[in-house]
Amino acid sequence: MTQDNDQRLAQFFKPAAQQELPDNGFSRKVMRRLPDDTPRLAHLVTIVGVAAMVTLVWGMGLWESVVPNLKALFVTYYTQNDPVSIVLAMLLFLIAATAALSKKVAAMVN
Amino acid sequence: MALVSRVALLHDKRAFDALVRKYQSPVRRFLLNLTLGNEALSDDLAQDTFVKAYTRIAQFKATAQFSTWLMRIAYNTFYDHRRSLHPPTDALEQHYALGTAAKDSGITMDIYRALALLSPDERSCITLQLIDQQPIEYICRVTGMKAGTVKSHLFRGKEKLATFLKQNGYDPR
């Protein structure tokens, strides 16, 4: 009796059970509503770090060679929130800074 | 790394986007049935559900299923919405049912009419069991009710639904 009733009800609700809802922009709306949870300290560290790097690069006369690459990487970091870009930017800066320092040290020794 | 871990540890929004796409259909369908087919309201509640899931992801325990945890948030979001209405009475069901009638027809409308006969607790239990095909333990985890309470809601709900089916020509006896 109860089993019969359950089967009838399962049959009745079958269209609702099989209903698959297409996304239709739903996930985009959710993503737009997510809070920006990047900590303020992280933003501050990034800004201070970038300012320091720019000052150093400017001081070492590497502006023309490094700027286009760094710019592209920072744009990627901020537009796509891609942490890999900021790591690459730092690596690029470190390589450039090391090269510049080596030249200065070599000049001083000579 | 699993999508949930990437969201919890790295706040990876692309991973969360993948989670939303994966679970949007069951969450929206559950809320659509609880709101008796009110698409606009159920989508608003579903959005709230996913935003809450994102902001509370640190509270998710890996021992639980992510889908169960998400459905529990959806269930609580629906109840919070009900409580916010003054008064949270059966007038709400009537409102939902009327809102549905314009857009749906035939069997789908009958499903919402049948669900409208149930109390919200009965509807939650019936929806999870008969539409989402979930066992009683799952319903307990989602609703936070004890097994005995879930069983009695299911029993009363099914009695009301059986009467509805008889009165509307779905029962051949």
Side-chain angles (χ1 to χ4, degrees):
Chain A
M1 173 72 183
T2 310
Q3 210 167 9
D4 282 355
N5 195 33
D6 278 7
Q7 279 175 358
R8 255 192 299 280
L9 288 172
Q11 189 62 31
F12 175 69
F13 283 114
K14 205 172 176 183
Q18 289 171 338
Q19 194 179 15
E20 202 57 43
L21 298 175
D23 189 274
N24 285 344
F26 175 81
S27 54
R28 200 178 59 242
K29 285 180 198 161
V30 171
M31 295 311 290
R32 274 206 298 255
R33 281 189 55 191
L34 293 186
D36 179 13
D37 50 7
T38 315
R40 284 185 180 183
L41 185 63
H43 279 310
L44 190 67
V45 168
T46 307
I47 290 165
V48 170
V50 168
M53 285 197 309
V54 168
T55 309
L56 280 169
V57 169
W58 185 273
M60 291 175 184
L62 295 166
W63 198 245
E64 268 85 29
S65 59
V66 171
V67 163
N69 296 321
L70 278 178
K71 192 180 167 190
L73 288 167
F74 280 121
V75 166
T76 311
Y77 172 62
Y78 275 105
T79 54
Q80 296 175 21
N81 204 15
D82 179 11
V84 177
S85 304
I86 197 76
V87 173
L88 283 175
M90 284 174 171
L91 274 174
L92 184 63
F93 166 74
L94 279 174
I95 291 165
T98 310
L101 274 175
S102 306
K103 275 185 190 172
K104 291 213 169 187
V105 169
M108 281 168 70
V109 169
N110 292 332
Chain B
M1 190 188 276
L3 290 172
V4 178
S5 308
R6 279 167 56 191
V7 178
L9 299 174
L10 307 170
H11 292 274
D12 184 339
K13 287 188 175 175
R14 270 183 279 189
F16 190 71
D17 186 34
L19 285 173
V20 176
R21 287 174 195 278
K22 186 175 177 184
Y23 293 107
Q24 61 86 19
S25 183
V27 168
R28 286 166 70 205
R29 188 178 58 213
F30 177 54
L31 290 164
L32 190 64
N33 290 318
L34 290 186
T35 59
L36 306 171
N38 188 327
E39 281 181 25
L41 176 61
S42 63
D43 268 12
D44 280 351
L45 296 177
Q47 282 182 39
D48 289 347
T49 298
F50 281 105
V51 172
K52 282 177 191 171
Y54 181 80
T55 53
R56 296 173 190 176
I57 194 93
Q59 294 169 21
F60 170 68
K61 291 180 177 64
T63 49
Q65 282 252 330
F66 182 73
S67 57
T68 312
W69 183 70
L70 197 58
M71 290 299 247
R72 180 154 176 73
I73 295 176
Y75 173 82
N76 287 332
T77 302
F78 170 72
Y79 267 79
D80 288 346
H81 169 74
R82 266 189 70 83
R83 274 193 287 269
S84 71
L85 298 173
H86 300 289
T89 61
D90 286 345
L92 176 67
E93 273 70 57
Q94 186 64 28
H95 164 73
Y96 289 158
L98 288 173
T100 301
K103 287 185 79 174
D104 294 302
S105 60
I107 184 80
T108 314
M109 195 172 135
D110 276 356
I111 287 172
Y112 295 138
R113 275 177 57 213
L115 288 173
L117 297 172
L118 310 177
S119 72
D121 284 341
E122 290 165 356
R123 196 183 316 139
S124 303
C125 296
I126 289 283
T127 297
L128 288 169
Q129 192 191 56
L130 294 178
I131 298 177
D132 291 342
Q133 325 268 313
Q134 295 295 345
I136 287 177
E137 302 81 60
Y138 177 91
I139 302 172
C140 293
R141 283 198 295 273
V142 169
T143 61
M145 294 176 196
K146 289 184 176 159
T149 312
V150 169
K151 283 176 189 171
S152 67
H153 283 313
L154 286 171
F155 180 76
R156 279 196 295 270
K158 285 176 184 178
E159 272 189 337
K160 290 180 187 175
L161 291 171
T163 308
F164 174 87
L165 293 190
K166 271 184 197 162
Q167 289 172 346
N168 289 275
Y170 285 98
D171 191 342
R173 285 176 302 170

